[in-house]
Amino acid sequence: MRYLAILLAALSSTAALGCGDDDDGGGSTDTDTDTDTDTDTDTDTDTDADVAALEIAGEYDDAWSDFHVITQSLWSMNLMGSFHIDSFDNDADYLVAQNDSDNEYNPDLWSRFDWTVYEEGLYYCQIAYDAETAEDAEAAGPADATDPTTGGCGGYAWTELTGFDLEIVGDYDDEWSDTHGITNDAWVTGLMGTFNVAAFYNTSDYLIAQNDSDNEYNADLWSRFDWTTYLDDLYYCQTAYDAATPVAAEDTTAPDNSDPTSGGCGGYAWTQLTPQ
């Protein structure tokens, strides 16, 4: 998940820069106490559960010629189907997901996926695949991550996931006299700050990033950046810039890339990136 000229003209509308839409008698003492308690509890729970991004989100190949797309809410495989993510724990390195209704094997049942990094490689194990409930799936783990290359996953080795580089990595200038340094880990601009990349999808041409804590605008919130090539030139649209969660950023509707030079990005043209 910007332009100085537009900022100066309309500081109140980040959409102009990042090319995204704005999100679209007295109570008794007992009532006040209940309201405060409920509000505090709900807020804490939502913040803890929603703000973290799934750390393995992205696109991968594996040794079995399968292709994996892992978003904040879905793990999709070309061969094995889709799994709707119900919960995840980045510290314990696992997630629980419901098998899609259209999966050939065990539709609508529950899976647990564990992952680990071993000798700089990322491995996963689907330690549960036919659990009756989410609780049963979670209780099936953890898988043994001692040496995922030789075993520990229900009597088998774990599966290695091979990632890709973000296809638009590089240094660029734009028409608003801003500079952009894009790596697999961050999108750094001269004017609008830094956006820490949580996941990117080369096949769909977008990434999700958390706005840096030091950014002047929307610090610590979430952005979605879409890109496209038009007449051999690279353009981007900051489709979301103040999403509360990575899921919300990812779920933002993709912009219209039919003619990025004239519109499609929250009512504005996309921004052209010129390699330095």
Side-chain angles (χ1 to χ4, degrees), residues 43-238:
T43 300
D44 291 342
T45 300
D46 290 343
T47 299
D48 293 341
D50 292 340
V51 168
L54 177 59
E55 65 185 8
I56 61 167
E59 295 177 330
Y60 305 91
D61 282 325
D62 70 23
W64 308 102
S65 300
D66 204 354
F67 182 65
H68 302 249
V69 178
I70 307 173
T71 73
Q72 304 302 321
S73 56
L74 188 70
W75 188 322
S76 297
M77 307 180 197
N78 283 353
L79 301 180
M80 296 303 296
S82 298
F83 304 84
H84 300 270
I85 298 170
D86 180 71
S87 63
F88 62 84
D89 188 329
N90 287 330
D91 294 325
D93 294 343
Y94 75 90
L95 63 83
V96 174
Q98 187 171 25
N99 308 349
D100 191 80
S101 299
D102 292 332
N103 287 5
E104 182 177 1
Y105 301 104
N106 305 303
D108 297 319
L109 296 182
W110 290 84
S111 292
R112 169 174 168 146
F113 294 84
D114 288 47
W115 66 86
T116 191
V117 175
Y118 181 79
E119 296 182 349
E120 299 184 359
L122 175 62
Y123 296 80
Y124 86 91
C125 170
Q126 189 176 357
I127 193 63
Y129 52 85
D130 60 356
E132 292 291 336
T133 66
E135 292 75 16
D136 291 341
E138 184 168 14
D144 181 1
T146 304
D147 183 352
T149 65
T150 60
C153 182
Y156 298 92
W158 297 41
T159 300
E160 185 174 8
L161 294 175
T162 305
F164 303 89
D165 286 326
L166 176 60
E167 65 183 11
I168 59 170
V169 164
D171 296 312
Y172 303 89
D173 293 317
D174 71 23
E175 60 209 276
W176 308 103
S177 301
D178 202 358
T179 58
H180 303 254
I182 304 173
T183 69
N184 285 342
D185 301 314
W187 188 315
V188 182
T189 73
L191 300 178
M192 293 303 298
T194 297
F195 303 86
N196 300 298
V197 177
F200 57 84
Y201 305 94
N202 289 330
T203 57
S204 301
D205 295 342
Y206 76 92
L207 64 81
I208 303 300
Q210 186 169 27
N211 307 350
D212 196 77
S213 298
D214 291 332
N215 287 6
E216 183 176 0
Y217 301 102
N218 304 307
D220 297 319
L221 296 181
W222 293 85
S223 290
R224 169 175 168 149
F225 292 84
D226 289 74
W227 67 86
T228 192
T229 300
Y230 182 76
L231 300 177
D232 295 327
D233 292 320
L234 177 64
Y235 294 82
Y236 86 92
C237 172
Q238 189 176 358

Side-chain angles (χ1 to χ4, degrees), residues 23-43:
D23 290 339
D24 315 287
S28 67
T29 302
D30 290 341
T31 301
D32 290 341
T33 301
D34 291 341
T35 301
D36 292 342
T37 301
D38 291 342
T39 301
D40 292 341
T41 301
D42 291 342
T43 300

